[in-house]
Amino acid sequence: MHGLTRSARVLSLLRRLPFRQLSRLQTRSFAHNAILRLHSEHGPSVKVVPNTLCTNAREHAASFPKRTHHCGALTLQDAGSKVVLAGWLLAERKAAKTMSFFPLRDSYGSTQLVVNMNHSNGILASMSQVPTESTVLVEGIVHARPEHQRRPIPSGDIEVEVTKFRLLNAADSPLPFMSSHAGKLPSEEQRLRYRYLDLRRPELSSNLRKRSEVAHIVRHVLHEEGFTEVETPLLFKSTPEGAREFLVPTRLASTSSRLPDTETTDLESHPEPLFYALPQSPQQAKQLLIASGAVDKYYQLARCFRDEDGRKDRQPEFTQIDLEMAFVSWGEDIPSLTTGTADNWRIGGGEVRDIIERLVRAVWSKVEGFELPERFKVMTYAEAMSRFGSDKPDTRFGLEIKNVTSHLPEPLRSSLIEHGEILEALIVDKAEHHIFGRAAKKIKGMEVEKRLDRIDIKDANLESWLEASKAIHTLSEVTPLSTTELNAALGVISGSTVWLAKRPRIAEGGSTPLGQLRLALSEEAQCSGQLTLSPKPHFLWITEFPLFTRADEDKEFLAHGRWSSSHHPFTAPMRQDIEKLYEGRISEVRGQHYDLVLNGVEIGGGSVRVHDASMQEYIFSNVLQLSESETASFSHLIHALRCGAPPHGGIALGFDRLMAILCKTETIRDVIAFPKTGTGKDLLFQSPAPADPAVLEQYNVRPRNGR
Amino acid sequence: MHGLTRSARVLSLLRRLPFRQLSRLQTRSFAHNAILRLHSEHGPSVKVVPNTLCTNAREHAASFPKRTHHCGALTLQDAGSKVVLAGWLLAERKAAKTMSFFPLRDSYGSTQLVVNMNHSNGILASMSQVPTESTVLVEGIVHARPEHQRRPIPSGDIEVEVTKFRLLNAADSPLPFMSSHAGKLPSEEQRLRYRYLDLRRPELSSNLRKRSEVAHIVRHVLHEEGFTEVETPLLFKSTPEGAREFLVPTRLASTSSRLPDTETTDLESHPEPLFYALPQSPQQAKQLLIASGAVDKYYQLARCFRDEDGRKDRQPEFTQIDLEMAFVSWGEDIPSLTTGTADNWRIGGGEVRDIIERLVRAVWSKVEGFELPERFKVMTYAEAMSRFGSDKPDTRFGLEIKNVTSHLPEPLRSSLIEHGEILEALIVDKAEHHIFGRAAKKIKGMEVEKRLDRIDIKDANLESWLEASKAIHTLSEVTPLSTTELNAALGVISGSTVWLAKRPRIAEGGSTPLGQLRLALSEEAQCSGQLTLSPKPHFLWITEFPLFTRADEDKEFLAHGRWSSSHHPFTAPMRQDIEKLYEGRISEVRGQHYDLVLNGVEIGGGSVRVHDASMQEYIFSNVLQLSESETASFSHLIHALRCGAPPHGGIALGFDRLMAILCKTETIRDVIAFPKTGTGKDLLFQSPAPADPAVLEQYNVRPRNGR
């Protein structure tokens, strides 16, 4: 198949060549077939076909009356009316001796059609013959269903007696699968391949409608709040931080330097290929927009792209609710101007917080019928890491981590402190045994425990269990280690399970081993039915993240020094930490970054940005130690700051993830019309696919394997 | 600069390698520098800088009070209030001896600040020192302006006496250019390079806001009409008709077949590169969506991509208002069901027409304050070509083309008819001389006249002018050719100018030479002030286009036979012409395509689609004579039709073009936040740009010139 497509493309190239070049090319074998074809274009005319095809086509194209209602619209009040419905005809169900029922489904719902064999004038015969899921149109009369047959779904109170029936488009029989056979769905791979059948499932259809509804609410709120929707470029520029960008070769800019008429087709004469890149987010564009002053409050439902190794439930293209605001606060120091009650929000960007809380409240109110509190809770990163071992804590259940350092016997305690470390514990004690006891047993020896000390407390080791901890062995060889104080402080008794782990006093990264254990225990406890989480959504802001992260092997670009930006290099430091930034106490500098977490899932993040060009340059060169060329690639941004950029900040919410939560599905593939697989394959459109080398040449690239 | 970025990227690659591979690599020179750098990462720490930088930064980060108003918000009613404003400070203007005025501008408008030198406590001194277009915050008191100084603009009735002043962010002095110096703007190239300065111009800022407003109206109307917004893939599949697609190489799918640990790094072992393509429109995806039944009415403000040689005022990425509806009519043949008054709309898709007219009416009503008629005019393609020589006629002025065939003397008339041709004329007669006379003179000998016979009628040639026509010379050598009947029928008198051209009886293509002349005359007449077009927008539907076009050299893919699709291969034939389609009378088959034209500009187009799989296959193979592989690339669409697709149709409006018209600007660059040049260059982000060959290797491609 590919070979022939290639010939088609060659053909097209040839068509654009002047004839003399065409003659010259005839000697080349790859063009030969295509040229033969070009010559034969004035050959046979359109073939005339049998009349039956035409007759069928005319039938398919016959006019039909307009629908009067959708399939989810009729109620008892319509009883007696004549209606016209159209949709997909589902499988017949015979009842009594003379009645047949057919559900008729469209994207709005399902209506029960009834045909009485005795008065159907052949309608039943036609309908019975029609393959399931064919598109049909019926005229009929609405009847109330007998009371005991009524069902609490749209159109569940009525049925429609068919008086006229028309097949609009017959479906193949059999179809690859029946979306209406809920119990018999094939593998996800098959369903993705035939997505146009899978989308017929009411669950997916309803997800798409809900997504549209939420997008509309979001836009409505932001419009009311005076935001301007602006489209930013998707054909963007490759950036140094963009290790995972998609490149887009273009022939636009390079064509000017081509000399198609010269005889020299030497390889060396080809110009350098040029590329756009697809943006991972509109970050730079939106900052420039705000810096310009053209727009005071910007938003966009922005498509973003990331060429990642297929991680679980990620898509190479995704959508975010992206916004940015001029003149956001950099943190208040005039108490009289602070609005609302005091809480943990000690950074700037309160304006962004206000908008997002309003927006999320509107969505939950309209879509879930749930009124969220006026204010979402705020927790610092340090607190989240200490209590939950995660920077996106699931606060729907307890089982908090405890810092046990101060309860340790000496000299262990001092030794830990001296090393700048703490010892943390997760404990399933008597009070929590009925919730997490079974989970604790089940998890024993599993991967999630590997980096921890697990100690099952029994009468025998109640007073000596600390000695079993490997985490402390390097710190103290003094035994026995008394657990008396620990047991008292933590409520450890025989039958408890304790997990221990050391960590640096200042937390780093997204989670600790104890935090991961906590989630694993919760999952097990939910599976076994011992833990039922509240359906009430737990929204939480996490603030005061470390602005910089010690560069490790995972960090890639913009990390030549010891430090990389925890989020991105445009995030402003907390005003309280500016001195530390300039004094080089980098690990202590907290950023004006905020993450919005829902039920333990990060659904968005943003920050107040650096608007001071010299601070931005200091961060680039002194902290991140970027090369001059890397800094140069941000020169337009720095210059924009220098042209009088206002203080500004913004946020982006992951729209796919948000929708997955609202649609109560595990995978974002269920809230995307045409998703790709976890490895980035589009099974429906059969993409990505190889390209014709002749086409690639137009972009001045060739396969690594090619000539 | 490029070399260093490369080293940064190599560095990143190296970081991901296990150490043993790293050691092996050290011998290779390209990696050497990067490795040195990797080793030095634990070298010098963050450099500490002078205190002044920190002090400045603290000042920039100091908190500031919230704005109470925008700069376009204050009115006489606010006189006496204390206000806080923020924005960009424009140049000082001194008045009297003690007063200074400073306009303060934000994206909403401009407020006049007043400082009285005598009571300013140093405020004036600080403000005078601040570079123009710096970001500032002022507190002050609103005063009514003296009556004679009031101006009919937002905040034009008041001024604000400054009581407190703060510099938020100083602008460079000088800036590359001052957006506030309306008369002194640099070249468009300079303005595109510093787009964040150019966007400060109120015109551009207002265009962006209007674009957002129109998008909101569009979405609101479609939401009210029950449309579901669905996002379709941008990482799409390359299609045979897609000669102008952007390809997107990906490493996603190819990584699985890589063997990074094997010793053989032979070139031949690299997998074939794989590509997505950016869609030129969501056509296929939206048809599959409707075929699925998941969505009854779809819409999207869709980003589309076309890798074209930079044509005038085109952008490689653009936005369209894209919609599609299930169960649209295929043309009525039951008169009782026809809604509204009869007009020329004889094809299907009336539902699409209704929606678009409603939508456009809402936009014009809200944005322009202009109430459009309930129904837009409809004209067939044949009529448009005959009367205006264009398939997107500008109907704001007359000067219609006339078919003069029937007024020709014999045997000329019969000879023309025999050849299947007609003779057309454009005439500037006495009645129109005052409008187009000067234009007719000016245009003489210009390119637009080259393919026409131009005859200036004088007393001397009044009865013989037809003999001067070259167009008819091959048809008749009989002279004299009497013009008596022609003159009478057309009102030709001495002083008239006549242009003549032959064309085939059945019109083809988008315009005729006479149609182009007509536009040229109108443009000249407008320039010279003789013609003033009505400001009333002229909307017009063009229908009944030929479904297929004779393939010529310009046509590329899907045109192996004599015919290519005039629009796209999914357009349905008119029901009246189905027999002709199957009988092979291809030139006579009209399509159910509709274009929406505004003032001679095509702002959108759509069609009823083929929903019958066998008809679609017939068009692919018998009419377009696609190869099997080309047809195969549409196999998912054909299969979707075969799974019971409803009759459906849709449309796409060019949003950028629409906005340019609404913003009364000539170029779509003025309604796009970050546009590219006509040749596809982004001068702000410096894109497209070369890519690092090491990065390209990850995609299994390399420059044509490369190793």
Side-chain angles (χ1 to χ4, degrees), chain A residues 63 267 270 308 333 575 705, chain B residues 61 63 252 267 270 333 705:
Chain A
S63 74
L267 269 185
H270 302 304
E308 276 183 318
D333 58 5
R575 26 183 301 114
N705 275 352
Chain B
S63 74
L252 274 182
L267 267 186
H270 302 305
D333 57 5
N705 275 351

Side-chain angles (χ1 to χ4, degrees), chain A residues 359-621:
Chain A
L359 191 151
V360 169
R361 274 202 310 274
V363 169
W364 251 258
S365 170
K366 289 195 183 154
V367 173
E368 296 284 87
F370 188 90
E371 300 305 322
L372 291 170
E374 193 67 20
R375 275 291 184 213
F376 299 171
K377 284 191 178 138
V378 181
M379 191 181 285
T380 65
Y381 168 82
E383 183 182 349
M385 293 300 285
S386 295
R387 290 174 56 193
F388 302 99
S390 167
D391 64 355
K392 40 180 188 284
D394 190 340
T395 53
R396 289 173 300 174
F397 65 100
L399 204 66
E400 294 191 17
I401 293 162
K402 282 164 187 144
N403 180 350
V404 302
T405 315
S406 63
H407 304 299
L408 293 175
E410 286 290 9
L412 185 54
R413 191 197 311 165
S414 307
S415 174
L416 260 176
I417 292 168
E418 207 170 285
H419 283 77
E421 294 183 314
I422 59 172
L423 188 71
E424 294 184 316
L426 193 73
I427 302 156
V428 172
D429 59 15
K430 197 179 177 184
E432 271 161 335
H433 195 270
H434 68 288
I435 305 178
F436 296 105
R438 204 181 294 173
K441 263 192 203 121
K442 199 151 184 198
I443 231 159
K444 190 159 189 168
M446 281 170 68
E447 187 61 33
V448 72
E449 266 194 342
K450 286 275 157 69
R451 293 158 65 198
L452 300 165
D453 292 333
R454 174 197 177 112
I455 305 159
D456 293 305
I457 312 293
K458 305 198 165 61
D459 287 341
N461 65 353
L462 183 61
E463 294 304 324
S464 63
W465 58 265
L466 191 56
E467 288 161 26
S469 166
K470 287 177 203 145
I472 59 165
H473 273 187
T474 53
L475 293 169
S476 165
E477 284 166 16
V478 179
T479 50
L481 289 170
S482 162
T483 57
T484 314
E485 194 186 336
L486 269 172
N487 289 352
L490 305 176
V492 171
I493 55 166
S494 177
S496 303
T497 307
V498 177
W499 292 266
L500 293 173
K502 265 190 323 187
R503 70 160 170 93
R505 193 180 48 82
I506 297 183
E508 286 178 355
S511 67
T512 65
L514 283 175
Q516 289 155 22
L517 173 74
R518 178 176 174 271
L519 290 180
L521 286 171
S522 148
E523 226 163 274
E524 281 295 341
Q526 287 176 67
C527 283
S528 69
Q530 292 186 297
L531 175 63
T532 309
L533 296 179
S534 148
K536 204 182 114 193
H538 279 231
F539 281 96
L540 182 66
W541 291 103
I542 305 294
T543 61
E544 303 185 27
F545 287 80
L547 187 53
F548 302 101
T549 304
R550 242 170 270 271
D552 61 25
E553 306 239 336
D554 277 356
K555 294 287 161 186
E556 298 188 356
F557 298 109
L558 305 192
H560 304 314
R562 291 188 175 180
W563 300 101
S564 65
S565 294
S566 302
H567 293 98
H568 59 59
F570 320 117
T571 308
M574 279 180 74
R575 26 183 301 114
Q576 298 84 338
D577 294 349
I578 288 178
E579 271 94 355
K580 291 175 188 159
L581 176 69
Y582 286 93
E583 287 164 17
R585 294 156 62 192
I586 302 303
S587 70
E588 297 168 48
V589 180
R590 295 159 299 169
Q592 301 204 42
H593 180 96
Y594 30 82
D595 265 356
L596 182 60
V597 173
L598 166 57
N599 300 344
V601 178
E602 180 206 321
I603 60 168
S607 61
V608 177
R609 326 297 184 184
V610 175
H611 65 278
D612 176 338
S614 64
M615 182 187 284
Q616 186 68 71
E617 278 176 327
Y618 176 84
I619 289 172
F620 281 155
S621 44

